[in-house]
């Protein structure tokens, strides 16, 4: 039953991540001056800081797309080389997109309060992903697993953010993305991090309970 729920959650996560990543690929056309449904506030950000904004927006979807498969236990154990190479590419995409995000955040369309939220996210994203990679290199796989869960919780903020936008318009009276961005800079990722923290705490307590019984 529990395994079924975990598998269903992983499939849902992968499905949403692939959908949002494909949708975000419209930014690949921006260097050719083609803006496919890009919000005017975001166009303003790109106009001010094109290199860092587009580095972030074009590379970010690669991390989003590669992340979910790393969490499927069977894929990880049956194709360890694939896990390693996908993981390295994921880390590189997070670090490059994260640096782009860090230098885009001061220009966030929601102003200084949004900038603080996105800057915190960028610093934590880069730091957690880098530390997760170092833990794997040091063969500390327990720590690696935990840190990569947190890394992807932040990467998945790209999905949570987009899911929250229609609710903001429908139920909270927002009239533009720019207005909402002040909140989204926090609500897009803090709940994800809390869910992962609770999950990690619950699984470690359960494991401790099992080993105490076995002893
Ligand atoms: C986790 C760390 C991340 C940080 C710190 C971050 C930061 C930012 C910032 C500051 C903006 C400008 C938003 C505004 O002006 O209101 C932005 C926009 C954007 N980001 Fe990220 N982001 C992150 C993750 C991602 C990921 C994983 C993706 C992958 C899809 C992504 C894709 C985009 C796109 C496509 C935009 C343009 C706005 C839109 O279409 O909604 N970001 N990001």
């Amino acid at each position: 039953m529990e395994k079924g729920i975990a598998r269903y959650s992983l499939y849902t996560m992968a499905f949403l991540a692939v959908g949002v990543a494909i949708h975000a690929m419209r930014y690949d056309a921006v260097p050719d001056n083609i803006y496919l449904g890009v919000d005017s506030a975001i166009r303003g950000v790109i106009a001010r800081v094109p290199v860092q904004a587009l580095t972030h927006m074009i590379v970010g979807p690669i991390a989003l797309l590669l992340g979910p498969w790393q969490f499927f236990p069977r894929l990880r154990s049956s194709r360890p080389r694939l896990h390693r190479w996908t993981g390295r590419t994921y880390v590189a995409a997070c670090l490059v997109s994260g640096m782009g995000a860090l230098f885009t955040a001061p220009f966030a369309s929601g102003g200084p309060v949004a900038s603080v939220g996105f800057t915190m996210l960028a610093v934590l994203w880069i730091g957690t992903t880098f530390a997760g990679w170092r833990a794997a290199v040091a063969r500390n796989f327990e720590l690696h697993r935990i840190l990569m869960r947190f890394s992807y919780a932040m990467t998945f903020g790209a999905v949570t953010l987009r899911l929250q936008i229609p609710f903001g318009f429908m139920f909270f009276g927002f009239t533009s993305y720019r207005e909402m961005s002040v909140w989204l800079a926090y609500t897009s990722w803090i709940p994800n991090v809390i869910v992962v923290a609770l999950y990690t705490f619950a699984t470690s307590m359960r494991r401790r309970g099992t080993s105490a019984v076995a002893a």
Side-chain angles (χ1 to χ4, degrees):
M1 171 77 172
E2 239 171 77
K3 272 196 177 156
I5 295 174
R7 197 176 316 146
Y8 180 76
S9 309
L10 277 179
Y11 281 125
T12 308
M13 180 175 87
F15 175 76
L16 291 171
V18 170
V20 169
I22 290 173
H23 183 248
M25 282 173 187
R26 69 198 192 283
Y27 287 91
D28 294 356
V30 170
D32 296 319
N33 230 358
I34 301 169
Y35 289 83
L36 300 166
V38 177
D39 184 272
S40 60
I42 300 295
R43 280 182 79 143
V45 176
I46 296 172
R48 290 182 76 187
V49 281
V51 174
Q52 52 265 56
L54 286 176
T55 300
H56 168 65
M57 291 163 192
I58 291 172
V59 179
I62 299 172
L64 191 60
L65 207 53
L66 293 180
W69 321 108
Q70 302 299 83
F71 295 100
F72 283 87
R74 207 174 299 163
L75 264 181
R76 213 164 45 211
S77 55
S78 65
R79 311 285 301 273
R81 263 174 70 88
L82 182 67
H83 176 78
R84 270 200 300 276
W85 278 104
T86 309
R88 285 173 189 143
T89 315
Y90 169 82
V91 168
C94 288
L95 298 185
V96 171
S97 178
M99 289 309 286
L102 186 61
F103 293 102
T104 304
F107 305 91
S109 57
V113 177
S115 293
V116 171
F118 281 127
T119 302
M120 279 165 52
L121 172 58
V123 169
L124 290 172
W125 196 34
I126 294 169
T128 309
T129 310
F130 185 74
W133 171 61
R134 294 300 304 161
V137 172
R139 307 191 70 75
N140 184 345
F141 296 117
E142 179 61 25
L143 183 63
H144 167 65
R145 246 197 309 274
I146 293 173
L147 289 171
M148 283 312 189
R149 260 184 226 149
F150 279 105
S151 165
Y152 199 69
M154 290 182 257
T155 307
F156 201 72
V159 173
T160 338
L161 183 145
R162 275 151 198 88
L163 291 178
Q164 288 174 0
I165 291 174
F167 286 95
F169 283 126
M170 282 190 290
F171 302 115
F172 294 96
F174 289 110
T175 54
S176 68
Y177 170 80
R178 188 194 302 272
E179 239 179 74
M180 218 184 300
S181 155
V182 180
W183 291 94
L184 293 173
Y186 301 88
T187 58
S188 62
W189 61 279
I190 293 175
N192 300 2
V193 169
I194 293 174
V195 168
V196 166
L198 291 175
Y199 174 79
T200 304
F201 180 70
T203 47
S204 82
M205 290 310 279
R206 200 168 38 204
R207 205 167 308 147
R208 239 181 257 177
T210 317
S211 52
V213 169

